[in-house]
Amino acid sequence: MEQQLNYNGREVYVVDGTRTPFLKAKGSPGSFSASDLAVSAGKELLARQPFAPNELDEVILGCMMPSPDEANIARVVALRLGCGKRVPGFTVQRNCASGMQAIDNAVQDIASGRHDLVLAGGTEAMSRAPLLFNESMVNWLSGWYAAKSFSARAKLLTRFRPNYLAPVVALLRGLSDPLYGLSMGQTAEKVAYQFGISREAMDTYALRSHQRIATALDSGYLTEIAPLYGTNGQSYTFDDGIRRDTTLEKLAGLKPFFDKKFGLVTAGNSSQVTDGAALLLLASRDAIKRYQLPVLGRIVDIEWAGVDPTVMGLGPVNASVPLMQRHQLSIDDVDFWEINEAFAAQVMGCLNAFADERYCRENFGLQAAMGQIDQERLNIDGGAIATGHPVGASGARIVLHLLHILKRKQAKRGIATICIGGGQGGAMLLESVNEVQA
Amino acid sequence: MSNGQYQHWQINKDADNVVWLYFDKANASTNTFDASVLDELADTLQVIAADKTAKALIIASKKTSGFIAGADIEKFSQFENEQQALAFIEKGQKTFKQLADLIIPTVAMIEGFCLGGGLELALACNYRIAEESTRTRLGLPEVKLGIQPGWGGSVRLTRLVGPIVAMDLILSGRTVDGKQAAKLGIVDAAVPKRHLERAARYYALTRPEMHKPAILAGFANVHWARYFIAKMLRNKVAQKARVDHYPAPYAVIDNWEKLGIDDEQAFTAEAHSIVNLLQHDTARNLIRVFFLQERLKALGKNTAFNAKHVHVIGAGTMGGDIAAWCALQGYRVTLQDREPKFIAPAIKRAFELYSKRLKKPRLIQEAMDRLMPDIHGTGIAKADIIIEAIYENLEAKQSLFKALEQQAKPSAILATNTSSIPLDEINVVLQNPERLVGIHFFNPVAMMPLVEVVQGEQSDAMVVKNAMAFVRAIDRYPLPVKSSPGFLVNRILMPYLMESMILLQEGIAPEVIDKAAVDFGMPMGPIELADTVGLDVCLSVADNLAKHYGGEVPQKLRQMVEQKQWGKKTKQGFYTYKNGKPVRQKAGSAVVETNQIADRLILRMLNEAMACLREKVIEDTELLDAGMIFGTGFAPFRGGPVHYAKQRGIQATVIRLEELQKQYGERFKPDEAWQKLIEE
């Protein structure tokens, strides 16, 4: 059956993927830079392949906060992985969905026939987000460097004020909406208000996320994680944000984090600031035949949608619905879902919106609501509340893991979707594939 | 300007009337000085001096291998008498003086190695410009051959940078790279290759001020200052080398103290000093060692084997360090072990090694990127060479190699780092047993240059050769040995260690035993060596070797191991250890016969060496000497164990062994192989 797709061209397959353990930011810069993380995952991924790294056609990475030495981090990572000087690379940004955007670009390049074999994904070292000189300090320093005489310098010294030293915390700025003056957490509060989501419901959801990923880890379902090794002799094998010991009581005891006095969103029912990388190998049918590659699945279609930035958490709904409509899918036709857990409130807000007649009418012109997503088919191995949300990587992580879920459950179809700071949503329709026909 | 009639030199003149003199030694890949080269150089300098239109002279090399490596060492070893040696030295001095006396400004344009006579030529120029990278190395390493700089190096370098810097370089024989040389003042500028010629021309034509030592440094050349400095220098050298073992550095200090650098006498003293040193055994033996080194380096040449990917199994002390070393040498390495926590310490040690060696963060990162922890064994299918370094258990190794044979590339070398399990017991499980060789590293990998390449009964000769080529490619010296317990180095070392413990049991203080060995010229005494290796390791090796070759393991050793006193790692062995160093007691007043002790220790080594020769563990005496020098640090100035025995006199050595046999037991009985040596 011919379906209209959001891009033109050949079918695009996912061959394989790897991610690092996700490591919580702990207040001081972490042991690994964003490129270190991507290189670690990439080394393992490429080592498994029958072709050499220099046979890739390009490398695309999503990353929101590369360090000053990581300009166009995709190219830096490609060179460090041994792809050689001839493999080009570029870096993309779409806030929290940068990893998914990288996959989108890879899909377009393969579908259009430009490339056959692409390494795409995302990486972030949020713990290494910089402290910056504030504007007054920068201006004072420019004056200082330009000053040519002793008296000019002396004058400048008298103008210096201690509050010039107060740094700008780049991380906090990045996690706030630049136009509407709300932090991401506050947008989740708005979503909770819009759909009447209780504190209890959020905490219950959060607890389940930790429990589900602990189970998945113990059952060996997270095979895509490749260990990280530090130069200090430490090794990391799983996401260290997972709290096996957390309980509803403990979660209930936490104070609200974003709206200090009366809020509902806490550190416990939000995703954590985290470092990590996730990479996927995408290929055309030709490449799969040429190198005899195994196949995880296929990226069928992609949708990006814009929403009100103050309720950015509902982005997944606005991206998924048009996607489903285009393929004439009902909620039940989707076997498994990954909705990135930026905040428990936000995921639950999405579930409510899918099932809300007014929301679906006002946003999509539908007669009735899309329906209720079965929570036994949603984020079944846990999500970002437990693993953490390295901004550049999450979009890639959920695509990769959903493909693994589909394979494990012998299911056909899944949607991986993510809300985006600034008011967007991204969604990918995935299909499990065992073998590529000639 | 004529060009064609010189074999080794080429003269060009550019548009600015700058003369370019290129050294391109005929039929050689490296520029070195011999008589014909010096004669031609003298001719060209004469021609250049007579040319009235020449504005300046720039000397450079046409070889891609480097600038100039120094004098041709082979020539040094071929002098039949003192007069020949003196004549050669004086020829060089005279020619370089010609260069120094040229009126026009002279520049040495240096890229790659610039050592010994090569640096001396550069020092005879007014200016030196060097390429700045680590590939460019400058130094005066003559003391390492038991001689000293003889073509003006000890005088001109000291004039240029002052005695503190100059003596440091000359007495240690160490080399510095382009950047360091510029910092020290040895070269006037260190520049990237893209500016080298332009910089040379700049110095030639604009003639900036020539380098002078700092005032304080120059002051140190004054007569009475030399007395104190010489004293300090002698103390410093004494920490590393004794005057009776290594006379060369002391000769340099003596000459400088006596004559300083102002007089022409200093040059004459240089020349005569070398001639004297050449008469000493040390110089002859160190030159011999140099050629032994060249022989090891030549092993494994002419093979098509070109490894790119190394897979190491077992991330323990040896496996982890082998993997780190290979990645440092530029290889892609996968390091496998059962769990991440076993590999993680190896990654830390690799980082420490790279930080020490490479220093620059970018280079450290590059090396770390080449090293990949591999818990799933993904690297096996792609590796060109697989090195097994798991624990010493036959069944474990057998099942591992059986699996490897299935997964590895057909052309991959299968190698084991085992030190105690015979190759021919491991390879019984293989379909192609000829693929298995031993590649036996020593601990610590980064510091021990020797690697035994072990051939079993079934090992294919080509595989062995390729393994040796690989060892060379990772900048180690391969030593081909036959598979038998202990191979060469450990087998010969064991009786030395065992005898030291017998001496201990007889009541002799460990300090005395060790001193006897160090006085002989060993780098470390046997008691301290045993403590450093680990008494538990010593015992297991000793038991293993005793099982095959007979002999008794001293009771004391077993006792110590049972009491968990394993040496340095447990802070208590035969010595007590504080901060990693042994606590030594002061010498007692008892009269001890050091010679007797030394003979017992060394002759047991020699006897075992003979056994190894007889059993063809090693092919010939040269390789044996090379193996012991580079594998254990056996007194290099003695030229190796067999060479030492020959110098002492084979007959005399046998007689001494028989004496010791009468006094101390059958273990001193001269091996049959001695007889053969006598007959030769």
Side-chain angles (χ1 to χ4, degrees):
Chain A
M1 173 159 61
E2 276 299 318
Q3 271 146 356
Q4 203 189 359
L5 302 173
N6 207 2
Y7 61 90
N8 281 320
R10 315 185 285 176
E11 291 178 333
V12 181
Y13 298 90
V14 176
V15 173
D16 195 353
T18 305
R19 73 168 176 90
T20 65
F22 283 5
L23 304 178
K24 241 172 93 155
K26 288 185 173 72
S28 58
S31 306
F32 305 97
S33 69
S35 52
D36 289 339
L37 295 163
V39 167
S40 177
K43 257 157 72 165
E44 180 73 39
L45 178 57
L46 293 177
R48 291 204 287 269
Q49 309 310 319
F51 55 83
N54 64 5
E55 294 180 85
L56 285 170
D57 288 323
E58 75 178 345
V59 175
I60 311 174
L61 288 185
C63 184
M64 287 303 293
M65 346 177 160
S67 81
D69 292 324
E70 292 169 331
N72 191 4
I73 194 172
R75 174 63 167 166
V76 171
V77 168
L79 287 169
R80 282 183 63 183
L81 285 174
C83 297
K85 56 192 175 188
R86 298 206 192 282
V87 174
F90 65 100
T91 309
V92 296
Q93 285 190 346
R94 203 196 278 253
N95 307 71
C96 317
S98 299
M100 188 178 277
Q101 179 62 55
I103 296 174
D104 181 4
N105 284 89
V107 166
Q108 291 183 63
D109 278 350
I110 294 174
S112 67
R114 180 190 271 186
H115 291 312
D116 283 287
L117 201 54
V118 179
L119 182 67
T123 180
E124 209 74 64
M126 298 176 84
S127 68
R128 290 198 179 191
L131 295 176
L132 308 166
F133 283 132
N134 65 41
E135 202 175 318
S136 315
M137 185 68 186
V138 174
N139 285 330
W140 187 87
L141 275 174
S142 339
W144 181 264
Y145 290 132
K148 300 228 188 321
S149 66
F150 178 78
S151 61
R153 292 229 166 96
K155 208 171 179 191
L156 272 172
L157 280 174
T158 63
R159 290 228 195 97
F160 190 84
R161 296 283 167 274
N163 65 22
Y164 286 7
L165 290 175
V168 171
V169 182
L171 186 64
L172 290 179
R173 301 285 274 262
L175 293 176
S176 300
D177 190 291
L179 295 176
Y180 293 85
L182 290 180
S183 68
M184 295 300 115
Q186 286 170 325
T187 68
E189 294 276 5
K190 274 201 82 177
V191 168
Y193 175 62
Q194 182 171 345
F195 289 99
I197 302 167
S198 70
R199 166 75 186 263
E200 211 176 45
M202 293 181 204
D203 287 345
T204 308
Y205 184 92
L207 177 65
R208 196 179 68 186
S209 184
H210 282 276
Q211 288 171 337
R212 280 184 169 182
I213 195 169
T215 307
L217 198 60
D218 295 339
S219 312
Y221 293 152
L222 295 171
T223 53
E224 69 263 33
I225 300 181
L228 272 169
Y229 298 83
T231 55
N232 57 1
Q234 278 270 75
S235 62
Y236 307 86
T237 53
F238 58 88
D239 311 321
D240 69 358
I242 300 172
R243 303 285 295 272
R244 289 171 183 267
D245 60 338
T246 199
T247 60
L248 266 180
E249 288 76 38
K250 285 195 186 147
L251 287 165
L254 295 173
K255 289 206 179 35
F257 192 81
F258 301 99
D259 282 336
K260 293 290 178 198
K261 257 207 166 143
F262 301 108
L264 302 176
V265 179
T266 69
N269 57 38
S270 309
S271 65
Q272 304 146 63
V273 173
T274 304
D275 300 346
L279 297 183
L280 283 75
L281 192 61
L282 292 103
S284 67
R285 179 173 300 188
D286 288 345
I288 290 175
K289 292 263 158 259
R290 186 184 328 142
Y291 296 111
Q292 307 262 297
L293 300 172
V295 183
L296 259 183
R298 187 164 81 89
I299 313 246
V300 179
D301 202 353
I302 303 162
E303 179 78 16
W304 302 101
V307 296
D308 178 353
T310 65
V311 287
M312 66 89 200
L314 297 174
V317 186
N318 289 57
S320 302
V321 171
L323 189 60
M324 294 194 296
Q325 285 177 316
R326 205 161 45 238
H327 292 264
Q328 282 143 356
L329 297 171
S330 71
I331 292 267
D332 291 325
D333 291 328
V334 180
D335 295 316
F336 288 95
W337 290 82
E338 282 283 325
I339 302 180
N340 193 47
E341 297 172 355
F343 306 92
Q346 161 261 327
V347 178
M348 303 181 78
C350 289
L351 297 177
N352 277 302
F354 276 118
D356 188 276
E357 195 214 307
R358 179 164 154 208
Y359 190 90
C360 292
R361 187 177 7 105
E362 286 179 0
N363 282 273
F364 314 114
L366 292 174
Q367 305 282 19
M370 280 304 284
Q372 198 74 252
I373 294 183
D374 177 1
Q375 296 216 25
E376 293 308 306
R377 300 215 236 165
L378 167 66
N379 299 343
I380 66 170
D381 289 337
I385 289 176
T387 68
H389 175 28
V391 171
S394 290
R397 178 187 74 77
I398 56 176
V399 170
L400 178 59
H401 194 66
L402 185 54
L403 287 170
H404 278 289
I405 290 175
L406 292 176
K407 204 148 233 173
R408 179 172 105 226
K409 295 282 191 186
Q410 289 171 331
K412 179 128 203 281
R413 213 181 272 118
I415 290 184
T417 175
I418 181 166
C419 60
I420 303 175
Q424 296 188 67
M428 279 193 169
L429 178 60
L430 307 172
E431 211 174 70
S432 183
V433 173
N434 283 321
E435 207 189 311
V436 173
Q437 255 59 38
Chain B
M1 190 126 285
S2 55
N3 224 338
Q5 70 240 55
Y6 302 114
Q7 265 198 306
H8 310 294
W9 297 91
Q10 195 186 335
I11 313 180
N12 292 331
K13 203 157 154 196
D14 69 20
D16 293 315
N17 283 325
V18 173
V19 178
W20 291 78
L21 179 60
Y22 292 103
F23 188 178
D24 190 2
K25 188 168 182 183
N27 302 322
S29 58
T30 308
N31 280 335
T32 54
F33 287 113
D34 59 30
S36 75
V37 168
L38 287 170
D39 287 335
E40 276 196 7
L41 177 58
D43 281 350
T44 61
L45 290 174
Q46 216 168 24
V47 168
I48 293 169
D51 180 0
K52 294 303 169 208
T53 63
K55 269 249 191 77
L57 170 64
I58 300 180
I59 304 182
S61 158
K62 271 246 160 62
K63 303 277 188 215
T64 51
S65 57
F67 185 65
I68 304 172
D72 188 342
I73 313 278
E74 272 215 61
K75 294 290 182 288
F76 263 91
S77 59
Q78 284 163 3
F79 295 135
E80 286 164 3
N81 53 43
E82 287 186 33
Q83 284 83 340
Q84 282 187 1
L86 190 59
F88 184 59
I89 313 262
E90 285 178 339
K91 188 192 288 277
Q93 282 200 353
K94 186 151 172 262
T95 315
F96 288 176
K97 186 166 192 308
Q98 245 184 293
L99 174 57
D101 286 345
L102 282 179
I103 307 174
I104 53 175
T106 51
V107 180
M109 192 176 88
I110 302 163
E111 194 185 347
F113 47 71
C114 174
L115 306 169
L119 181 53
E120 289 177 297
L121 178 144
L123 288 166
C125 297
N126 300 126
Y127 308 100
R128 287 145 296 283
I129 309 296
E131 191 268 325
E132 68 179 1
S133 77
T134 51
R135 214 194 126 236
T136 295
R137 306 216 65 87
L138 299 95
L140 294 172
E142 288 88 338
V143 287
K144 289 185 171 171
L145 292 176
I147 52 178
Q148 64 156 92
W151 288 339
S154 63
V155 183
R156 291 200 177 98
L157 183 61
T158 316
R159 282 182 188 169
L160 183 67
V161 295
I164 306 295
V165 173
M167 285 297 142
D168 169 43
L169 248 71
I170 297 173
L171 299 177
S172 65
R174 73 185 180 96
T175 60
V176 294
D177 67 27
K179 271 217 178 94
Q180 290 165 328
K183 247 199 211 145
L184 294 169
I186 301 170
V187 303
D188 296 275
V191 297
K193 166 113 196 217
R194 58 190 178 275
H195 296 318
L196 195 57
E197 278 194 21
R198 204 171 316 125
R201 187 180 277 116
Y202 168 82
Y203 273 81
L205 292 174
T206 60
R207 310 163 78 149
E209 203 179 316
M210 290 191 282
H211 187 269
K212 278 198 287 271
I215 297 188
L216 217 53
F219 190 63
N221 274 319
V222 160
H223 177 86
W224 51 267
R226 298 202 303 261
Y227 171 74
F228 291 105
I229 298 178
K231 235 175 151 198
M232 174 197 81
L233 289 171
R234 279 191 200 98
N235 283 338
K236 202 157 174 238
V237 175
Q239 285 170 22
K240 287 239 172 83
R242 290 159 43 132
V243 61
D244 50 346
H245 294 167
Y246 297 99
Y250 296 92
V252 172
I253 299 172
D254 286 346
N255 281 338
W256 174 71
E257 187 189 7
K258 218 183 325 174
L259 297 168
I261 50 167
D262 296 320
D263 236 64
E264 285 310 298
Q265 284 184 45
F267 288 100
T268 320
E270 245 193 5
H272 285 280
S273 183
I274 297 193
V275 175
N276 279 339
L277 289 169
L278 278 171
Q279 308 311 313
H280 201 284
D281 280 340
T282 296
R284 282 201 285 252
N285 288 340
L286 287 179
I287 291 175
R288 175 164 186 272
V289 171
F290 173 80
F291 287 118
L292 289 177
Q293 195 179 57
E294 294 295 293
R295 176 154 175 216
L296 289 184
K297 280 182 172 174
L299 288 171
K301 269 211 176 117
N302 303 322
T303 72
F305 187 68
N306 193 4
K308 294 215 168 49
H309 183 149
V310 180
H311 185 78
V312 179
I313 305 181
T317 309
M318 289 312 289
D321 288 358
I322 293 170
W325 181 260
C326 291
L328 177 63
Q329 298 305 317
Y331 286 87
R332 208 162 55 241
V333 181
T334 38
L335 175 59
Q336 183 178 6
D337 210 313
R338 293 148 290 162
E339 285 173 45
K341 67 179 185 210
F342 297 129
I343 308 180
I347 301 299
K348 178 177 181 197
R349 290 198 310 274
F351 181 71
E352 286 164 350
L353 173 67
Y354 303 151
S355 302
K356 218 193 283 177
R357 292 282 182 118
L358 300 172
K359 298 198 175 66
K360 293 208 177 88
R362 191 181 57 80
L363 295 176
I364 300 171
Q365 185 185 74
E366 250 178 32
M368 293 298 290
D369 282 346
R370 285 192 289 264
L371 178 60
M372 187 182 117
D374 184 11
I375 45 176
H376 300 298
T378 314
I380 296 173
K382 296 190 174 176
D384 300 303
I385 176 162
I386 302 175
I387 303 176
E388 168 271 308
I390 65 176
Y391 59 108
E392 296 283 67
N393 173 288
L394 177 60
E395 285 74 38
K397 289 190 201 282
Q398 281 176 331
S399 65
L400 177 61
F401 275 106
K402 188 150 183 218
L404 284 176
E405 197 184 20
Q406 300 304 313
Q407 299 166 40
K409 284 199 301 207
S411 59
I413 294 182
L414 303 178
T416 168
N417 184 51
T418 185
S419 55
S420 61
I421 301 194
L423 252 57
D424 296 301
E425 285 180 25
I426 301 176
N427 64 21
V428 295
V429 299
L430 296 177
Q431 286 173 352
N432 294 92
E434 65 274 11
R435 283 174 78 177
L436 186 68
V437 290
I439 301 186
H440 183 229
F441 290 83
F442 292 93
N443 193 8
V445 173
M447 294 191 42
M448 307 301 282
L450 193 80
V451 175
E452 289 174 316
V453 177
V454 188
Q455 181 163 8
E457 299 261 326
Q458 310 248 32
S459 302
D460 179 82
M462 198 64 221
V463 174
V464 173
K465 195 149 187 237
N466 287 339
M468 290 202 285
F470 169 72
V471 170
R472 270 311 290 144
I474 56 169
D475 194 27
R476 303 283 83 178
Y477 298 148
L479 186 75
V481 298
K482 194 174 81 169
S483 174
S484 71
F487 310 133
L488 183 83
V489 174
N490 285 343
R491 179 167 168 189
I492 296 182
L493 214 47
M494 200 43 59
Y496 168 72
L497 294 179
M498 293 300 108
E499 190 66 23
S500 73
M501 293 177 200
I502 294 175
L503 283 158
L504 207 63
Q505 280 173 180
E506 290 173 10
I508 305 189
E511 293 84 357
V512 174
I513 301 172
D514 278 354
K515 185 165 187 302
V518 171
D519 284 352
F520 175 81
M522 299 302 286
M524 193 191 277
I527 304 288
E528 193 185 343
L529 180 60
D531 269 356
T532 307
V533 168
L535 297 183
D536 51 336
V537 175
C538 278
L539 180 60
S540 83
V541 177
D543 275 337
N544 185 31
L545 293 182
K547 192 166 57 161
H548 284 99
Y549 302 122
E552 236 181 81
V553 177
Q555 211 20 50
K556 186 91 173 116
L557 177 60
R558 213 175 290 282
Q559 268 173 13
M560 301 280 293
V561 175
E562 274 167 24
Q563 289 164 15
K564 295 257 194 292
Q565 293 175 334
W566 292 347
K568 193 158 148 190
K569 60 190 175 195
T570 60
K571 295 206 173 47
Q572 181 64 49
F574 291 113
Y575 292 114
T576 312
Y577 287 83
K578 273 213 176 90
N579 295 328
K581 293 221 160 36
V583 177
R584 284 190 234 270
Q585 313 297 331
K586 291 277 177 225
S589 57
V591 173
V592 201
E593 296 201 16
T594 312
N595 280 335
Q596 180 86 327
I597 296 174
D599 268 354
R600 284 173 65 174
L601 294 170
I602 303 300
L603 290 186
R604 283 214 58 197
M605 256 203 275
L606 296 189
N607 218 14
E608 199 65 32
M610 286 300 131
C612 289
L613 275 169
R614 175 171 47 79
E615 293 177 18
K616 294 224 164 295
V617 174
I618 189 95
E619 208 177 294
D620 56 52
T621 60
E622 308 246 309
L623 287 176
L624 194 153
D625 279 344
M628 289 310 288
I629 292 172
F630 295 110
T632 70
F634 182 97
F637 69 94
R638 296 201 188 268
V642 178
H643 189 75
Y644 163 72
K646 287 187 180 164
Q647 304 262 285
R648 189 172 167 155
I650 302 290
Q651 197 74 275
T653 311
V654 173
I655 291 173
R656 186 76 180 106
L657 274 168
E658 286 167 349
E659 280 176 20
L660 292 169
Q661 179 188 4
K662 273 207 203 78
Q663 247 190 308
Y664 296 106
E666 284 308 289
R667 63 187 190 275
F668 284 102
K669 177 161 178 219
D671 191 280
E672 298 158 26
W674 287 105
Q675 210 35 51
K676 246 215 168 147
L677 263 190
I678 295 178
E679 287 158 14
E680 268 169 28

